[in-house]
Amino acid sequence: MNKKIIFEDRNNDWEIWEKNNSIERSIKRIQNKLPEMEASKQLAKIVRRIYKKNFRILDFGCAAGHYYNSLKKIDKYIYYCGFDSTKAYISYAKKHFKKNTNIQFDTQSLFSMSKKYNNKFDIVFCSNVLHHLPSIDIPLKNLINASKKYCIIRTLVSDNTHLARFYYDDTTNRRGELNNFQLQNTYSYGLIRKKIKKIGNFKVTFENDIFNGKNINKEFTSKERKKYPGLTKFVDGIQIAGSKVFEFKWIIIKK
Ligand SMILES: C[S@@+](CC[C@H](N)C(=O)[O-])C[C@H]1O[C@@H](n2cnc3c(N)ncnc32)[C@H](O)[C@@H]1O
């Protein structure tokens, strides 16, 4: 067998937001052109259970900062800080919230967070980001390092690890590798626990994702699907994105 085999899935160009920052709908949510996300509602419920006055909250992977709109219902003076590695979102967020002194933003990556943020927040949360990353060890470490008390993570967790790529279309690079994709990685409960254990001896609990499927499907219109091919839909009690079942869980880490 001396034929050259093309491995179409060998492309490591996973940072979709750098190529096309209109892929996120966060700005539309901030502008009230889209409703509050189901995940944002549940995050606020979890935070409400543990929140104390003057807590500092960090949203890592905040996009344009739309989770703030759910959190401010808990305390209108809530301190909210948003980090994202995509400059365009952070620039938008800084402008949008410039009059609010309780809100800050910084361009930071989960892979290289500045040490000045270690132990600076009471609650650190990261929603819908880890399943899109090629590795979660450094991101988990930075999330836990930034937090004094709690880390809350929403990502795909199941009995088995299932690492996957969803291709928006079949365009290829010069080597013939498909190059327009997002990672859709599910980690097993065991592997998540093992990775967190390596960082420290913390209490880790998993909570089910609670959502109104009808609200999710309201956004699954043909117009939106054309623009955002990986959109999630709700069928028979499960969430599906592309052709993969999305088993979202909330991971709560208590330091
Ligand atoms: C699917 S969006 C989720 C946005 C928001 N958390 C939500 O749930 O709607 C993923 C976000 O993670 C950001 N992101 C991707 N890689 C990152 C990294 N290494 N560090 C920080 N943010 C990152 C992207 O720019 C994008 O805003």
Side-chain angles (χ1 to χ4, degrees):
M1 244 229 333
N2 50 15
K3 266 197 185 149
K4 191 170 182 288
I5 300 170
I6 296 172
F7 290 90
E8 292 174 332
D9 62 345
R10 289 289 164 90
N11 195 330
N12 288 327
D13 202 0
W14 57 274
E15 282 183 292
I16 42 172
W17 311 273
E18 295 300 321
K19 290 192 218 165
N20 173 15
N21 60 48
S22 69
I23 205 79
E24 277 323 316
R25 299 179 307 152
S26 178
I27 291 175
K28 282 192 187 168
R29 290 193 203 279
I30 283 282
Q31 295 169 338
N32 288 325
K33 289 182 185 159
L34 281 175
E36 185 182 17
M37 270 174 88
E38 292 298 291
S40 189
K41 290 181 199 167
Q42 192 173 359
L43 184 269
K45 277 189 188 153
I46 296 171
V47 169
R48 195 182 278 277
R49 286 194 326 238
I50 53 180
Y51 180 75
K52 290 196 177 69
K53 209 169 168 258
N54 297 326
F55 260 20
R56 294 168 69 87
I57 299 182
L58 169 66
D59 175 359
F60 215 140
C62 64
H66 61 274
Y67 280 57
Y68 169 75
N69 289 340
S70 304
L71 292 171
K72 72 180 180 197
K73 295 176 194 164
I74 300 173
D75 174 353
K76 67 177 175 178
Y77 301 110
I78 203 159
Y79 175 87
Y80 171 91
C81 182
F83 290 169
D84 201 285
S85 56
T86 307
K87 281 197 186 106
Y89 302 147
I90 294 299
S91 306
Y92 184 91
K94 278 184 175 169
K95 268 193 213 127
H96 183 86
F97 289 106
K98 68 173 182 284
K99 288 196 184 128
N100 194 324
T101 50
N102 295 328
I103 305 187
Q104 279 177 354
F105 291 95
D106 196 4
T107 306
Q108 289 287 326
S109 167
L110 281 158
F111 289 102
S112 60
M113 185 189 76
S114 161
K115 284 198 172 48
K116 73 177 180 191
Y117 292 118
N118 280 354
N119 281 307
K120 284 290 180 297
F121 302 94
D122 300 281
I123 300 173
V124 173
F125 73 91
C126 178
S127 179
N128 303 327
V129 185
L130 293 196
H131 58 292
H132 295 311
L133 304 182
S135 163
I136 61 168
D137 299 84
I138 297 169
L140 278 173
K141 199 159 191 259
N142 279 323
L143 289 169
I144 292 171
N145 280 349
S147 168
K148 283 190 274 186
K149 298 185 178 77
Y150 298 95
C151 258
I152 304 166
I153 298 166
R154 182 181 193 252
T155 193
L156 303 176
V157 186
S158 187
D159 293 332
N160 288 81
T161 298
H162 175 168
L163 308 180
R165 290 169 178 220
F166 171 79
Y167 291 89
Y168 294 112
D169 59 42
D170 297 335
T171 53
T172 51
N173 63 14
R174 275 183 298 140
R175 287 190 297 274
E177 299 158 341
L178 292 161
N179 72 344
N180 196 13
F181 66 93
Q182 62 159 235
L183 298 171
Q184 294 183 339
N185 291 338
T186 304
Y187 287 91
S188 71
Y189 293 98
L191 192 50
I192 294 269
R193 283 192 187 280
K194 197 169 153 191
K195 286 178 185 295
I196 295 171
K197 188 95 198 236
K198 265 197 197 157
I199 302 165
N201 212 2
F202 311 117
K203 188 178 171 213
V204 181
T205 48
F206 294 91
E207 286 191 21
N208 285 334
D209 196 48
I210 295 167
F211 55 88
N212 179 328
K214 276 192 192 150
N215 288 345
I216 290 176
N217 285 349
K218 269 188 212 154
E219 294 187 27
F220 194 75
T221 59
S222 50
K223 196 173 152 214
E224 288 288 294
R225 264 156 58 201
K226 251 192 204 144
K227 260 183 124 180
Y228 311 99
L231 221 55
T232 312
K233 68 180 170 190
F234 170 75
V235 186
D236 285 344
I238 54 176
Q239 293 184 63
I240 301 173
S243 54
K244 179 167 165 168
V245 174
F246 262 26
E247 296 174 81
F248 278 114
K249 298 286 176 315
W250 293 85
I251 308 164
I252 322 263
I253 304 164
K254 172 126 178 31
K255 282 185 99 173

